[in-house]
Amino acid sequence: MNDTTSEPQRRTIERYTANERTNHWFVAIAFVLSAISGLALFHPALYWLSALLGGGTWTRILHPFLGVVMAIGFALLAAALWKFNKMEPRDWQWLRQGRDVVNNREDRLPEVGRFNAGQKLLFFVLVVSILGLLLSGIVLWRQFFSIYFSLGVIRVAAVVHAVCAFVLICAIVVHIYAGIWVKGSIAAMTRGTVTPGWAWKHHRAWLREKLHATHPRPRSD
Amino acid sequence: MALQSLDIVRRSATTTAPPSVREPHTGTVAKLIDTTKCIGCKACQVACMEWNDLRDDIGTNVGGYQNPHDLTDQSWTLMRFAEYENPDKGNDLEWLIRKDGCMHCADPGCLKACPAPGAIVQYANGIVDFHEENCIGCGYCIAGCPFNIPRISKRDHKAYKCTLCSDRVAVGLEPACIKSCPTGALVWGTKEEMHQHAAERVEDLKSRGFDRAGLYDPPGVGGTHVMYVLHHADRPQLYNDLPEDPHISPAVSVWKGATKPLALAGIVLTALAGFFHYIRVGRNETHESDERAAARETEHVRHE
């Protein structure tokens, strides 16, 4: 017996740490429950979703707590990933070539760091919409906070809450689809790793950074 | 079903047509509150408590006759007292007393805002009623109401307000407050009859020097099934801020109007766009050539 396997084990690259993955899926679960309960109260056609949370009254009770849990979880995730989501000049070029993006012509796009411009845009849409939901949601939280606000403020908060929720849900639909579309992305968030080829194709600048970090250039002097 | 008086013409959070074959040929009902005849005795408040089995907490006296201070889940009607010094009559003091409570709008903002199916209904006779067993306690009705009437109970977190004694009206009785009024300030009948009665009252008041007397039946909410005769119909705000031109807030109309179908359609279209992108363009996969390129890059960096 020797300790070499017949096929060389393909090396993988860590994309998300266990903590990042846990945080992501914590927020994802809180989002799904918040969205189900929120949609149940938003449109009569979806009121049946309230059954999934134990009926209308339980939906009303749980929804704001679920929203706050989501906002806190997201704040932690956003703080950890903030520095990777700053827009750079090459990101604007990436966005201008949106047609190449959606048609799988990545070879024509500028090199991408840890996150591409679409992911960065999503990041900031999530930051703004979740902040809007949190602030307007506090105003609408009848049981504890609504008495501190005038009827005019409550009415505007209801509109803000609905608009932010719409933007958030659409953004997450796009986010989920992107995961289904770009193969290997879901494994990145479940196993935490990607293959070098995946990184080369989708996040080449990030791969180079990673390689240089593990194989630092020898000093010239 | 033989309960025509309980026919529901509008039901909260319901998108299909309610039973609408039977129409009330005798017309809808209305309560007329003649503020010019009211002496502020509060018999109507007591009658409301008795009939509806309500007992509010004993409050504190703040130097006025208004008691309790505001509508609550236990006080569905309330005499609001305003002291007005009329400059046109040498600053004569006028005691403007208005029996406040649900106005039973023809176009009810509470019902429009309610997300719980069947928690708020409008009967064919015009009464807007809360069915608390379906209420989930969100308080949207409070945001929807142009008159600031519904109140959420701290005990069960459900919304309560005047029912216009829908249970009494259903069996041919007048509301409890009407029965108790000693001066005839509260009158009950069909909306048409109440319009006629109010017209007589307004004519009488004008002959007595109240030039601006009139009926309060605000068109902004489609008219109401509780109406006021006011000595100063040109300035309803004098009566403890009775709104001059009440209507459902534009914010509520947007939130509960176009936003609902458009947002739902937007979400569905976003998902469909994704699905058809997958069908037309297809998955974005990593190939063996990418792995080889990555391996070359790795070697390159290692030997730099």
Side-chain angles (χ1 to χ4, degrees):
Chain A
M1 291 281 288
N2 57 37
D3 55 47
T4 56
T5 48
S6 56
E7 250 183 278
Q9 185 75 42
R10 180 160 278 163
R11 287 180 58 242
T12 56
I13 300 172
E14 184 180 60
R15 182 145 171 87
Y16 296 108
T17 65
N19 280 345
E20 287 167 341
R21 273 147 37 215
T22 307
N23 196 337
H24 171 272
W25 289 110
F26 179 85
V27 175
I29 292 165
F31 165 79
V32 168
L33 293 174
S34 302
I36 286 174
S37 50
L39 285 169
L41 302 182
F42 177 67
H43 198 291
L46 298 177
Y47 191 75
W48 59 274
L49 288 171
S50 62
L52 300 175
L53 284 102
T57 304
W58 272 112
T59 300
R60 183 268 299 169
I61 293 170
L62 293 173
H63 177 74
F65 287 105
L66 292 166
V68 168
V69 166
M70 176 183 76
I72 292 171
F74 180 74
L76 294 172
L77 191 64
L81 298 179
W82 192 278
K83 60 172 181 271
F84 304 108
N85 281 290
K86 290 178 184 148
M87 290 296 276
E88 293 166 45
R90 65 182 176 201
D91 290 323
W92 297 110
Q93 181 57 35
W94 192 95
L95 284 176
R96 271 192 289 274
Q97 287 176 248
R99 196 172 282 272
D100 290 325
V101 175
V102 297
N103 286 302
N104 295 344
R105 295 192 293 254
E106 272 171 288
D107 46 311
R108 299 187 192 177
L109 297 169
E111 289 193 2
V112 169
R114 186 172 181 192
F115 296 119
N116 65 41
Q119 291 171 303
K120 290 177 183 182
L121 215 58
L122 175 90
F123 180 82
F124 286 107
V125 168
L126 297 189
V127 168
V128 171
S129 60
I130 289 176
L131 194 65
L133 283 165
L134 180 68
L135 296 177
S136 57
I138 287 168
V139 174
L140 292 173
W141 203 341
R142 176 63 53 184
Q143 195 168 352
F144 302 116
F145 301 111
S146 289
I147 53 161
Y148 301 111
F149 300 96
S150 72
L151 276 174
V153 172
I154 292 171
R155 287 168 183 154
V156 171
V159 178
V160 171
H161 205 73
V163 170
C164 287
F166 167 69
V167 170
L168 175 64
I169 292 171
C170 286
I172 295 299
V173 168
V174 172
H175 176 59
I176 292 169
Y177 175 65
I180 296 168
W181 170 35
V182 181
K183 297 300 167 193
S185 310
I186 293 173
M189 200 40 101
T190 51
R191 279 186 279 180
T193 54
V194 293
T195 67
W198 188 93
W200 172 261
K201 183 166 191 193
H202 304 300
H203 299 274
R204 199 165 298 173
W206 172 69
L207 174 69
R208 292 216 168 95
E209 278 168 39
K210 278 251 171 192
L211 292 175
H212 285 297
T214 42
H215 304 288
R217 279 168 218 251
R219 283 164 181 264
S220 53
D221 53 0
Chain B
M1 279 280 281
L3 293 167
Q4 285 94 333
S5 65
L6 296 179
D7 264 0
I8 288 164
V9 293
R10 261 195 254 198
R11 187 173 182 270
S12 58
T14 303
T15 49
T16 51
S20 44
V21 167
R22 289 184 301 233
E23 286 174 30
H25 288 286
T26 47
T28 56
V29 296
K31 168 162 69 180
L32 185 68
I33 302 172
D34 189 343
T35 59
T36 66
K37 278 188 178 179
C38 178
I39 56 170
C41 69
K42 299 176 187 161
C44 51
Q45 287 184 211
V46 174
C48 181
M49 287 169 60
E50 283 199 347
W51 179 257
N52 292 301
D53 274 336
L54 301 168
R55 297 294 183 273
D56 210 338
D57 294 335
I58 295 176
T60 49
N61 190 326
V62 292
Y65 280 90
Q66 191 168 309
N67 178 30
H69 303 157
D70 195 10
L71 295 169
T72 69
D73 61 311
Q74 294 283 320
S75 295
W76 296 350
T77 191
L78 169 67
M79 316 256 67
R80 292 193 185 272
F81 292 76
E83 291 173 15
Y84 172 58
E85 289 175 19
N86 192 338
D88 300 335
K89 294 189 176 170
N91 284 342
D92 261 8
L93 181 74
E94 290 180 12
W95 214 7
L96 306 178
I97 307 163
R98 174 168 70 89
K99 178 188 182 298
D100 195 13
C102 178
M103 299 293 286
H104 297 271
C105 306
D107 185 14
C110 56
L111 191 149
K112 191 182 181 77
C114 178
I120 303 180
V121 299
Q122 185 179 43
Y123 297 117
N125 63 16
I127 295 178
V128 178
D129 214 355
F130 286 8
H131 284 180
E132 277 84 9
E133 72 276 17
N134 295 331
C135 173
I136 63 172
C138 63
Y140 288 2
C141 52
I142 299 171
C145 176
F147 294 96
N148 186 18
I149 300 299
R151 295 290 184 271
I152 298 266
S153 163
K154 286 194 174 60
R155 205 185 318 166
D156 62 10
H157 299 283
K158 309 230 176 262
Y160 292 90
K161 70 160 189 70
C162 159
T163 66
L164 210 58
C165 284
S166 54
D167 48 351
R168 292 173 57 89
V169 173
V171 292
L173 300 174
E174 76 276 61
C177 56
I178 307 281
K179 195 169 174 70
S180 72
C181 183
T183 66
L186 300 182
V187 195
W188 175 256
T190 65
K191 180 144 180 172
E192 204 182 328
E193 283 167 0
M194 291 304 101
H195 266 274
Q196 287 166 6
H197 181 76
E200 287 168 20
R201 284 296 302 143
V202 168
E203 200 184 322
D204 179 52
L205 284 162
K206 283 186 172 164
S207 74
R208 292 158 180 258
F210 289 101
D211 304 338
R212 304 296 168 92
L215 175 69
Y216 185 84
D217 181 19
V221 290
T224 53
H225 292 275
V226 172
M227 303 184 291
Y228 291 111
V229 170
L230 305 174
H231 341 59
H232 308 289
D234 55 329
R235 281 175 295 168
Q237 325 81 270
L238 292 177
Y239 300 80
N240 266 292
D241 294 321
L242 182 64
E244 192 166 351
D245 178 25
H247 52 266
I248 297 175
S249 155
V252 174
S253 297
V254 168
W255 169 37
K256 288 292 172 176
T259 311
K260 286 201 293 184
L262 288 181
L264 220 54
I267 293 167
V268 171
L269 285 176
T270 308
L272 281 176
F275 177 76
F276 283 107
H277 178 266
Y278 203 75
I279 296 300
R280 290 170 62 87
V281 179
R283 57 188 65 193
N284 185 337
E285 284 175 312
T286 309
H287 302 287
E288 201 48 47
S289 57
D290 296 311
E291 298 298 347
R292 284 198 296 272
R296 279 199 300 277
E297 179 71 12
T298 309
E299 285 305 303
H300 178 68
V301 171
R302 191 174 290 166
H303 296 112
E304 226 172 22

